[in-house]
Amino acid sequence: MITLNINGKDMQVDADPSTPILWALRDNLNMTGTKFGCGAALCGACTVHLGGQPIRSCVTPISAAAGQKITTIEAMESDKVGKAVQAAWVKMDVPQCGYCQSGQIMSATALLRTNKAPSDADIDNAMSGNICRCGTYQRIRAAIKDAAKTIA
């Protein structure tokens, strides 16, 4: 058994230490908000925060999370910045299929925690590892800027 701090709660996971965080969340804890996209850290659908930083949970083993806090999309509704990002996503009608959105929101939230007024280049840099196959990148940018105004 490994204890992981997820969304502020210590949770027991019965898994091999090399198990990716993604599968511990989805298979062991039934937290399905974090999505599997590629399994190679190339698409960003599996993005969660580890110690406040966005990481790709599909390739990060649970052993790397020892003593750190994991934050998932499920915690965003009770987080000031996360809630502003989610509201902007709805306002700007960002999702189409929606599959990549949890990873997109997690990356955008991490950006706005450290940069309250990001430039287009800042947004591009922070979001570069998140792929949206529906191509809603302009709406994602608009939503990030809208959320930045809300939390300013």
Side-chain angles (χ1 to χ4, degrees), residues 45-130:
C46 68
T47 302
V48 299
H49 297 170
L50 181 61
Q53 297 300 311
I55 57 111
R56 304 303 184 242
S57 66
C58 70
V59 296
T60 306
I62 57 176
S63 60
Q68 297 191 63
K69 294 182 179 188
I70 299 169
T71 307
T72 70
I73 190 70
E74 287 89 351
M76 292 299 99
E77 67 186 359
S78 59
D79 176 86
K80 179 184 175 187
V81 176
K83 193 171 195 167
V85 170
Q86 287 180 322
W89 244 242
V90 172
K91 179 180 176 183
M92 297 298 170
D93 199 24
V94 172
Q96 274 188 258
C97 81
Y99 197 80
C100 70
Q101 296 309 301
S102 63
Q104 300 276 1
I105 288 169
M106 295 303 290
S107 291
T109 300
L111 167 65
L112 292 176
R113 280 214 178 96
T114 59
N115 185 344
K116 303 286 189 229
S119 67
D120 286 349
D122 295 332
I123 293 169
D124 291 347
N125 185 50
M127 303 303 289
S128 66
N130 292 84

